[in-house]
Amino acid sequence: MTHQKQLTFRAVDEAAPGEKWRSLFELHWPAFERWYLSETERERPSYLACLNALSKHMPELVPTYRWLCELSGGRDLPSRMLSLYRPPPYITGCSQAVMATGQTNVLVRNYDYPPELCEGTILSTCWNGRRVIAMSDCLWGVLDGMNEGGLAISLAFGGRKTVGDGFGAPIILRYILEFCGTTEEAARVLARVPTHMAYNITVSDARGHYVTAMIGPDREASIKRIPMATNHQKKIEWYAHALASETLIRERQLAILLEDEETTEERLISSFFSPPLFRSDYRRGLGTIYTAVYHPLEGRVHYCWPGHSMELSFDHFEEGSVNILYTSRPDVMEQG
């Protein structure tokens, strides 16, 4: 039997939160409500705990948070979910790499996840005086993105089972893109804001400065000048996940490419469309559902699928949609 899954990606341009964001909330809230209550409501923190945590660790983000809470109807449960404070755990795959030389400055990533659980929204915003283009998660969090200052960022699961007191990484990435302009500023945020799970965050800026931060709820962040990440931190701790996700194989492939002086930007990007970096195990939720190629110096990004790509930039952001059908390999069904 052939297993197929479909996901619609939407590019949405709305400088300040308004009716477009409200429509996205109404579209996705039923699914997010089921996810947020998957461990029962008593496992989730109260609204006051969420607001206090956000005010303590990311206070500059609170006005935007309150605005979105109002747009979602001012209700208790959506407001708690939108804080992304101590959310239910979730696991992704992902490969990401930076190439920053005198000739190129690019961040490339594959997002490996169950298509039916991905929001598929590409948001262009200017919520706090700085334009941001990002692949959205949890309605305003960030899986990967860039700001007009030339800062690009991407997340990958860190391959550890530990869950603790902190925020989902997508809201931390949103905070960084809204208020940071350099890799050094982003690194300071990643070192101090608590996370609820292990993540590997790769950051690059317009000057070609880059780091990968390995963060988790039970240890200090390890932030080093490493241009890539897959799904483990220093050593393998969750062997079943490491084997299923092929994290070591993918890391080795990226290392070979980045250590080879003959590797061009084009060669690096093309490698993300072939195994082992490109994965097609969609039945088990381990397939690549999109590739993102960020050019922070030029303020543009390509979101790619086999047979199609969507090019967006701060100078030209055209709203639209594309439906992707995932089988053994994804194929474009139609462009909206």
Side-chain angles (χ1 to χ4, degrees):
M1 180 182 297
T2 300
H3 291 265
Q4 297 181 337
K5 300 178 180 181
Q6 181 178 329
L7 174 60
T8 299
F9 288 86
R10 299 175 177 83
V12 178
D13 185 11
E14 187 174 52
E19 288 307 311
K20 291 180 182 179
W21 188 90
R22 191 201 304 271
S23 295
L24 289 170
F25 171 83
E26 292 173 353
L27 174 66
H28 294 296
W29 172 244
F32 279 120
E33 182 179 25
R34 288 193 298 272
W35 166 71
Y36 195 67
L37 297 178
S38 60
E39 297 178 320
T40 74
E41 185 175 351
R42 71 173 61 185
E43 293 298 319
R44 304 280 68 83
S46 67
Y47 169 72
L48 185 58
C50 294
L51 178 60
N52 287 342
L54 204 60
S55 300
K56 177 180 178 180
H57 297 288
M58 295 180 279
E60 302 93 333
L61 206 54
V62 169
T64 305
Y65 168 68
R66 290 185 181 275
W67 195 344
L68 296 180
C69 289
E70 287 300 313
L71 283 173
S72 68
R75 291 174 290 153
D76 177 72
L77 196 63
S79 298
R80 291 156 65 189
M81 191 283 289
L82 287 170
S83 74
L84 278 184
Y85 177 57
R86 287 167 43 197
Y90 46 89
I91 300 168
T92 66
C94 310
S95 306
Q96 54 205 32
V98 171
M99 178 176 281
T101 66
Q103 290 73 43
T104 185
N105 187 332
V106 64
L107 170 64
V108 192
R109 74 99 97 253
N110 275 357
Y111 187 64
D112 302 346
Y113 199 58
E116 66 273 20
L117 300 180
C118 183
E119 183 179 328
T121 305
I122 304 163
L123 281 178
S124 173
T125 60
C126 188
W127 291 344
N128 294 281
R130 179 180 271 135
R131 291 186 296 171
V132 172
I133 295 174
M135 185 68 74
S136 178
D137 188 43
C138 298
L139 297 163
W140 71 310
V142 170
L143 298 174
D144 47 77
M146 66 179 176
N147 64 29
E148 62 181 332
L151 188 70
I153 193 166
S154 175
L155 67 79
F157 173 57
R160 302 176 59 233
K161 293 183 179 180
T162 305
V163 178
D165 185 11
F167 294 91
I171 196 67
I172 302 174
L173 268 62
R174 168 60 68 181
Y175 179 57
I176 287 170
L177 289 181
E178 294 290 324
F179 298 105
C180 296
T182 67
T183 294
E184 290 78 9
E185 291 173 356
R188 288 194 288 271
V189 170
L190 291 166
R192 69 170 178 81
V193 176
T195 174
H196 80 129
M197 290 185 68
Y199 297 95
N200 298 331
I201 314 297
T202 300
V203 189
S204 180
D205 65 22
R207 302 166 301 164
H209 293 188
Y210 59 82
V211 297
T212 291
M214 297 180 179
I215 62 177
D218 59 339
R219 59 180 64 167
E220 290 187 1
S222 172
I223 303 175
K224 297 183 178 180
R225 186 174 166 80
I226 298 173
M228 62 186 181
T230 53
N231 302 120
H232 61 280
Q233 296 183 334
K234 298 182 180 179
K235 65 178 182 179
I236 301 299
E237 298 185 41
W238 187 357
Y239 287 91
H241 180 269
L243 182 63
S245 67
E246 300 180 323
T247 180
L248 288 174
I249 296 172
R250 290 182 287 116
E251 181 188 53
R252 180 58 180 161
Q253 177 70 9
L254 290 174
I256 291 171
L257 287 164
L258 294 172
E259 290 168 6
D260 186 350
E261 294 181 356
E262 300 299 316
T263 297
T264 62
E265 177 182 312
E266 292 73 21
R267 181 186 176 195
L268 176 66
I269 294 170
S270 66
S271 71
F272 279 77
F273 295 97
S274 302
L277 299 181
F278 186 94
R279 313 190 70 231
S280 55
D281 191 356
Y282 299 106
R283 275 200 304 179
R284 292 197 298 167
L286 295 172
T288 300
I289 60 175
Y290 70 88
T291 301
V293 183
Y294 289 94
H295 299 269
L297 276 174
E298 303 165 26
R300 63 183 178 91
V301 56
H302 272 92
Y303 296 103
C304 308
W305 308 265
H308 184 77
S309 69
M310 183 184 293
E311 183 173 3
L312 303 167
S313 70
F314 292 113
D315 293 331
H316 184 73
F317 190 99
E318 183 176 349
E319 293 189 322
S321 64
V322 59
N323 296 329
I324 305 297
L325 180 65
Y326 298 93
T327 52
S328 57
R329 293 180 64 87
D331 300 301
V332 174
M333 292 182 62
E334 61 178 300
Q335 182 177 0

